Amino acid sequence: MKITQLIEKAFKKYLPSPFTIAILLTLITFVLGIFFTKPENSTLSTYSLEVLSFWEKGIWTNGLLVFAYQMMLILVLGHVLVLSKPVSNLILHVTKYCTNTATSAAVVSCTTMLVAFFNWGLGLIFGALLARKVAEYAQSKNIPLNYPIIGAAGYVGLMVWHGGISGSAPIKINEPGHIKSIMKSVSSEQVLKQIPELISYSETVFSWWNLLTFLLVLVGVTLTFYFLGKKSKATLINLPEYKFSKELKGTTHAEKLDNSKWLAYVFGLLILVAFIYRYTEDMIALKITPNLINFFMLGLGIILHGSFKNFTNAVGESISDVSGILIQFPLYFGIMGIMKSTGMVTLISGFFVSVSTATTLPIFTFFSAGLVNVFVPSGGGQWVVQGPIVVESALQLGVPLPKAIMAMAYGDQVTNMLQPFWALPLLGITKLKAREILPYTLVAMVVGSAIYVLGLLIF
């Protein structure tokens, strides 16, 4: 525990807010871009202004702004689904099996990872509310629990999300032309010819080796939390109940429309019919895209909430989750603009190639992605910055692109157990503190890292 306490103190003392980190990374990238890529025939002042223009142009890249909006919708709509009564009732049903810390920690960690594999926003809030409801159930039955372990178990979904269906990297490379679009300004025509139009989910998320790796992590982390709970000291809990938004009945004709169940059901079903018509072939071909996921969750969310009023209230409660994405993603796009236009991507990928082999590159990618995630706590932002480096290095060393990209995804997700940025919603719901869950999430990170590294070496 002493080591984890030292790490927590170091984070608190030396690590600024994610927004400040994004700004510092921007300044560092700007300086490195000037001094390592400045042409001999250009003056320092002239090239500095040119690099600034690269940065500004990168911020407003249309395709990346669409990507940011897609990621925000994934988080918001996932949260909205969790706030619906059916999902709330499901959570309450699960808590009945939580009769001690060991069983509770195993149930919370396992179900949270399963949900997060489907959708990271859904898993993030589901795990938080499940942990909270387990504590409330234990309180009502006078069952002693180690609440921080339960809270940590509710966060481990963020350790599997990037290798899942809503993972930023696999979901984007499944879009036709995306890989070539991010590599166009950093790779030669000859290299671009080697890049596929897309990499489908059958090669990444739904590949046998990724599913097996996920299963091993699921079992390993679940057992880890069970034994942590078995050896822990439990106490009685005293928490106020976390209340879901209540349906407000209207009296005017307009308010009745807002609260109309049949109108919500009709419109939600209309969306799902359009979804089936538009995306059935894509689902059969495993072409899972952000638009597919968001369109499905939109229709399902409206139906599960039973009225437009309940749905929009849930959106209002969920919207604060996306503030980090909204303001930080453009800064990462600017960093990408500098790295691509100055040629820094080629320089960095060249370094990785020089110190790696086809066997070790996925391992280097895993650990470097884990390090980058500490400073860039966003899978989407990390894919924008690190993705071109991973692709370029893999092409040069002959490493299969699906494996190299998933190695980045694994490294990105596993250090979420060290970086508490995405734990903020969970901490707000559970009323726990980061230092209380960190010792247990660090143990999960070690177990998960060992499985991911072995998977990359064996598979």
Side-chain angles (χ1 to χ4, degrees), residues 180-199:
K180 289 185 177 181
S181 70
I182 67 170
M183 299 301 297
K184 193 171 183 179
S185 60
V186 299
S187 300
S188 64
E189 287 295 328
Q190 186 176 1
V191 172
L192 286 174
K193 291 179 180 178
Q194 303 177 45
I195 298 175
E197 186 68 12
L198 60 84
I199 298 176

Side-chain angles (χ1 to χ4, degrees), residues 237-349:
I237 298 172
N238 183 21
L239 282 172
E241 185 179 359
Y242 182 87
K243 296 187 181 295
F244 293 86
S245 58
K246 294 183 177 180
E247 183 177 354
L248 300 175
K249 297 294 184 181
T251 56
T252 67
H253 289 296
E255 289 173 335
K256 287 180 180 179
L257 285 175
D258 290 338
N259 290 293
S260 171
K261 288 187 176 182
W262 70 264
L263 189 58
Y265 291 153
V266 168
F267 187 69
L269 286 172
L270 189 65
I271 291 176
L272 293 184
V273 169
F275 169 82
I276 293 171
Y277 177 77
R278 168 64 179 83
Y279 292 109
T280 296
E281 290 185 4
D282 287 346
M283 288 189 292
I284 293 174
L286 299 180
K287 292 181 180 178
I288 311 298
T289 64
N291 293 341
L292 182 153
I293 291 176
N294 285 326
F295 199 49
F296 174 73
M297 289 198 298
L298 175 63
L300 185 62
I302 292 174
I303 291 174
L304 291 183
H305 278 279
S307 73
F308 298 141
K309 185 67 174 179
N310 284 349
F311 179 79
T312 53
N313 283 344
V315 170
E317 290 186 32
S318 309
I319 205 72
S320 62
D321 297 342
V322 304
S323 58
I325 295 178
L326 176 65
I327 200 65
Q328 291 176 52
F329 266 38
L331 293 176
Y332 296 138
F333 300 159
I335 291 173
M336 180 180 176
I338 294 175
M339 294 182 69
K340 288 175 64 175
S341 298
T342 60
M344 286 180 65
V345 169
T346 303
L347 292 176
I348 297 173
S349 61

Side-chain angles (χ1 to χ4, degrees), residues 291-453:
N291 293 341
L292 182 153
I293 291 176
N294 285 326
F295 199 49
F296 174 73
M297 289 198 298
L298 175 63
L300 185 62
I302 292 174
I303 291 174
L304 291 183
H305 278 279
S307 73
F308 298 141
K309 185 67 174 179
N310 284 349
F311 179 79
T312 53
N313 283 344
V315 170
E317 290 186 32
S318 309
I319 205 72
S320 62
D321 297 342
V322 304
S323 58
I325 295 178
L326 176 65
I327 200 65
Q328 291 176 52
F329 266 38
L331 293 176
Y332 296 138
F333 300 159
I335 291 173
M336 180 180 176
I338 294 175
M339 294 182 69
K340 288 175 64 175
S341 298
T342 60
M344 286 180 65
V345 169
T346 303
L347 292 176
I348 297 173
S349 61
F351 168 76
F352 273 101
V353 170
S354 68
V355 299
S356 304
T357 64
T359 301
T360 60
L361 180 65
I363 308 301
F364 279 123
T365 300
F366 172 82
F367 285 109
S368 64
L371 179 62
V372 171
N373 182 55
V374 173
F375 301 100
V376 184
S378 161
Q382 181 157 347
W383 168 245
V384 168
V385 175
Q386 194 176 5
I389 299 171
V390 172
V391 172
E392 183 79 12
S393 303
L395 288 173
Q396 291 190 43
L397 286 174
V399 176
L401 287 180
K403 183 175 183 177
I405 293 171
M406 293 305 286
M408 190 211 77
Y410 294 160
D412 165 64
Q413 64 190 9
V414 78
T415 49
N416 282 326
M417 300 300 99
L418 181 66
Q419 162 61 269
F421 174 71
W422 290 113
L424 294 178
L426 177 137
L427 298 176
I429 291 171
T430 60
K431 303 305 177 186
L432 289 167
K433 296 180 180 179
R435 64 174 176 268
E436 293 179 294
I437 69 170
L438 188 62
Y440 309 109
T441 58
L442 283 176
V443 174
M445 184 185 76
V446 172
V447 173
S449 296
I451 296 172
Y452 285 127
V453 169

